[in-house]
């Protein structure tokens, strides 16, 4: 009987695969968060050497903490019915905590560490307990209990990093976040209970794909916001106008390359999978890289538009060239997840950028951004040439072969 009462929270098979308006509202907090992440990255433009590496590492850690919150929420609304009041309350509470993390993020590694860590722990520790209690006697309650147990184990590291000396914050938080990600990858194993086999979870695959694609669009939207803000806030010149146009073309090409074939078929691949949990978990990591690459690239736009023909610096090479390279790596990975093959066009783009990088290190930022746009245009043209005259392929994911018989009791 208790399991029956808890079962009302589960997503029924006939539930819509589209994101609800509440989830789109929830994403607004991450619009703010991604903007703050970009601002922290942009603040590294004049750094070199160890200062650049440390600053990048600090900002990357904060982004990964935010991503973990967002991705866990996407999985919650893919496993549980988002129209249920308790799930809606969980999403709204997570949104508030995410907004706290977003507004404290610019100084989260400095004097605002305590509210950032407190908001993170509120989501990671309290939220799964609320879901577990709402599930009552249902077998799925063991999964959120696992999450809460692991969050409680890393909470002392988060609190020690927030309350302790500044020099210890980065290593303590890095260790805590590393454990949080490792626990997810392993299925949050506990003594006697074992691990939860994430690959066999029952999730709404269509919904999860929809959420990943929406986050990519949010990141691209943030890059467009950077374009408009930077260009409107600087003195007009023909050089800056040209940089603005090339940066916009780069974002448009990233959009085109992401959604070409594999990006469009992600929904179908997850929908066709007998048990989409394994593909969903792998795709989550791929989309983490894609969103990060778009953010890093958008910082490159800011640097180039601000000073198109300024002296070359290590920071602009990291953002202008490194971001698009990371995007192509992630897109190769997505192609393999959907079709089980390596994308030749994206490998051509990667090799081209690698070959150009030594020379671009000695040229002005505008030259580097122009080369990036040209390489991405080449990748897009190769994609178009390969698909010309062919019907849309059917996904053949090597990660989606599990059948319904593989389910476990707490899936």
């Amino acid at each position: 009987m208790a399991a029956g009462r808890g079962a009302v929270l589960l997503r029924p098979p006939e539930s819509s695969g589209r994101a609800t308006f509440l989830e789109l509202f929830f994403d607004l907090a991450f619009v703010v968060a991604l903007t703050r992440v970009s601002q922290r990255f942009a603040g590294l433009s004049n750094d070199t050497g160890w200062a650049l590496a440390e600053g990048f590492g600090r900002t990357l850690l904060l982004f990964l903490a935010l991503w973990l919150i967002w991705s866990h929420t996407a999985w919650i609304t893919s496993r549980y019915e988002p129209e249920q009041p308790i799930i809606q309350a969980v999403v709204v509470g997570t949104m508030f905590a995410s907004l706290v993390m977003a507004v404290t993020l610019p100084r989260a590694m400095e004097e605002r560490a305590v509210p950032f860590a407190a908001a993170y722990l509120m989501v990671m520790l309290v939220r799964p307990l609320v879901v577990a209690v709402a599930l009552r006697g249902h077998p799925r309650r063991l999964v959120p209990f696992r999450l809460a147990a692991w969050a409680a184990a890393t909470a002392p590291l988060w609190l020690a990093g927030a309350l302790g000396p500044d020099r210890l914050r980065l290593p303590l938080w890095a260790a805590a976040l590393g454990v949080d990600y490792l626990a997810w990858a392993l299925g949050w194993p506990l003594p006697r209970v074992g691990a939860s086999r994430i690959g066999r979870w029952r999730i709404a695959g269509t919904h999860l794909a929809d959420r990943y694609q929406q986050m990519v669009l949010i990141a691209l939207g943030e890059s467009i916001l950077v374009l408009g803000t930077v260009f409107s806030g600087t003195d007009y010149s023909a050089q800056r106008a040209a940089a603005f146009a090339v940066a916009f073309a780069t974002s448009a090409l990233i959009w085109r390359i992401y959604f070409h074939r594999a990006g469009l078929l992600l929904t179908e691949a997850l929908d066709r999978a007998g048990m989409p949990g394994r593909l969903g978990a792998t795709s989550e990591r791929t989309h983490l890289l894609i969103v990060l690459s778009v953010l890093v690239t958008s910082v490159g736009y800011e640097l180039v538009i601000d000073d198109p023909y300024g002296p070359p610096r290590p920071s602009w090479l990291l953002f202008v060239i490194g971001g698009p390279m990371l995007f192509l790596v992630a897109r190769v990975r997505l192609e393999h997840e959907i079709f089980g093959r390596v994308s030749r066009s994206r490998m051509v783009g990667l090799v081209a950028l690698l070959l150009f990088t030594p020379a671009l290190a000695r040229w002005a930022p505008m030259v580097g951004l122009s080369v990036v746009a040209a390489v991405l245009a080449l990748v897009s043209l190769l994609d178009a040439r390969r698909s010309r005259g062919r019907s849309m392929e059917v996904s053949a994911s090597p990660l989606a072969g599990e059948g319904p018989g593989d389910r476990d009791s707490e899936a």
Side-chain angles (χ1 to χ4, degrees):
M1 187 66 179
R5 290 196 297 270
V8 299
L9 295 184
L10 310 185
R11 260 188 180 266
E14 66 274 10
S15 178
S16 172
R18 306 300 298 179
T20 63
F21 290 118
L22 176 61
E23 292 171 275
L24 299 177
F25 179 55
F26 166 76
D27 285 344
L28 295 178
F30 282 84
V31 173
V32 178
L34 294 184
T35 301
R36 296 297 180 265
V37 170
S38 292
Q39 290 173 347
R40 275 196 70 111
F41 276 134
L44 307 174
S45 59
N46 294 318
D47 292 342
T48 58
W50 173 249
L52 176 61
E54 183 180 18
F56 190 91
R58 287 172 176 266
T59 306
L60 178 61
L61 185 149
L62 298 175
F63 167 75
L64 291 176
L66 283 163
W67 178 265
L68 197 61
I69 297 294
W70 182 87
S71 56
H72 277 198
T73 306
W75 278 70
I76 285 174
T77 53
S78 292
R79 280 169 61 78
Y80 304 107
E81 178 52 63
E83 298 297 339
Q84 287 291 324
I86 186 64
I87 300 300
Q88 292 180 342
V90 164
V91 172
V92 171
T94 303
M95 179 181 180
F96 178 75
S98 302
L99 193 58
V100 171
M101 293 173 68
V103 298
T104 59
L105 190 142
R107 303 293 297 173
M109 297 299 292
E110 292 80 25
E111 70 273 7
R112 294 184 179 179
V114 172
F116 184 90
Y120 177 84
L121 291 176
M122 182 66 67
V123 176
M124 297 299 290
L125 184 56
V126 176
R127 182 175 67 179
L129 291 176
V130 172
V131 174
V133 171
L135 285 170
R136 302 184 184 184
H138 196 277
R140 279 199 193 182
R141 75 191 188 283
L142 294 177
V143 173
F145 273 133
R146 284 190 174 94
L147 271 69
W150 276 89
T154 59
L157 292 175
W158 284 103
L159 294 175
L163 299 171
D166 290 352
R167 67 180 185 279
L168 296 180
R169 186 162 299 135
L170 180 60
L172 287 173
W173 280 10
L177 191 62
V179 172
D180 287 340
Y181 270 90
L182 180 63
W184 189 8
L186 298 178
W188 303 279
L190 292 176
R192 298 185 180 180
V193 182
S196 177
R197 291 175 285 183
I198 299 174
R200 298 179 182 179
W201 280 9
R202 298 185 183 100
I203 58 171
T206 302
H207 176 269
L208 194 61
D210 199 36
R211 298 297 287 136
Y212 290 156
Q213 292 168 342
Q214 286 164 0
M215 182 50 70
V216 172
L217 289 174
I218 288 173
L220 285 169
E222 197 279 333
S223 73
I224 298 299
L225 178 63
V226 168
L227 286 176
T229 302
V230 176
F231 187 54
S232 63
T234 59
D235 295 333
Y236 175 82
S237 69
Q239 292 86 355
R240 285 176 173 156
F244 173 80
V246 174
F248 175 78
T250 302
S251 279
L253 287 165
I254 288 175
W255 166 82
R256 176 71 174 84
I257 293 169
Y258 170 76
F259 280 103
H260 180 79
R261 299 294 190 180
L264 284 176
L265 291 177
L266 176 63
T267 300
E268 178 193 313
L270 280 164
D271 190 47
R272 286 164 57 93
M275 292 296 287
R278 184 182 175 195
L279 176 58
T282 304
S283 186
E284 179 272 331
R285 292 186 283 273
T286 300
H287 282 81
L288 184 160
L289 296 177
I290 290 173
V291 171
L292 177 62
S293 70
V294 173
L295 290 180
V296 171
T297 303
S298 70
V299 176
Y301 300 159
E302 181 173 352
L303 300 180
V304 176
I305 295 173
D306 187 58
D307 192 6
Y309 292 97
R313 295 189 298 269
S315 58
W316 83 257
L317 197 66
L318 171 65
F319 295 116
V320 175
I321 309 298
M325 287 181 65
L326 180 60
F327 169 74
L328 290 176
V329 169
R331 191 54 181 77
V332 168
R333 178 183 165 107
L334 181 63
E335 187 92 1
H336 183 267
E337 290 169 356
I338 303 303
F339 296 115
R341 65 173 183 236
V342 175
S343 169
R344 293 182 181 178
S345 63
R346 290 153 188 85
M347 291 303 298
V348 168
L350 269 174
V351 171
L353 288 179
L354 284 171
L355 292 176
F356 279 122
T357 297
L360 293 176
R362 300 189 294 271
W363 288 84
M366 181 62 180
V367 176
L369 185 60
S370 300
V371 169
V372 165
V375 169
L376 293 180
L378 174 62
V379 172
S380 184
L381 287 172
L382 290 174
D383 285 343
R385 180 180 178 182
R386 184 181 183 279
S387 59
R388 183 184 302 157
R390 298 184 181 184
S391 59
M392 180 68 75
E393 297 173 84
V394 176
S395 63
S397 174
L399 304 174
E402 298 177 348
D406 297 320
R407 301 177 181 180
D408 61 18
S409 61
E410 63 174 76

